[in-house]
Amino acid sequence: MASTVNAVCSGLPGAPKVTALKEGWMMSGPSGGSRQCQTVEELWSAVLGCFTEASVLDRLQRRRQAYVADPANAGLPARAAQPGGVVPEPAATIYS
């Protein structure tokens, strides 16, 4: 999931950096602050908070859609790459 977020956000002004942890992720913002996230929804909410300009958020959304549409990105990280709403997975799937 960390590599998905980093790939989708790469090069956008204000992009955070996400690192995988044993139980969740650490998101470091451009200003140096960091936040630990334990769910995919919490992670995307934190990521979205890094972007303040509507045009950048629009670019992020287009990138997310392109990432998900690319067959090379199949699997949980691609399905979970839904800023503003995580795509539900089967009940047996645990994200954290």
Side-chain angles (χ1 to χ4, degrees):
M1 192 64 220
S3 62
T4 296
V5 173
N6 291 332
V8 170
C9 295
S10 178
L12 293 175
K17 185 72 172 174
V18 177
T19 306
L21 302 174
K22 183 177 178 182
E23 293 186 16
W25 302 271
M26 180 64 69
M27 187 211 66
S28 301
S31 63
S34 61
R35 177 174 170 189
Q36 186 172 350
C37 303
Q38 296 185 351
T39 67
V40 173
E41 287 180 276
E42 188 179 352
L43 177 59
W44 274 116
S45 291
V47 167
L48 290 173
C50 291
F51 301 102
T52 57
E53 293 183 32
S55 63
V56 177
L57 285 170
D58 185 54
R59 286 172 54 197
L60 175 63
Q61 181 66 0
R62 287 193 315 266
R63 285 179 174 203
R64 193 268 323 153
Q65 290 169 342
Y67 187 94
V68 171
D70 185 344
N73 297 327
L76 172 62
R79 290 191 308 267
Q82 289 282 352
V86 176
V87 172
E89 288 295 315
T93 302
I94 299 174
Y95 288 109
S96 52

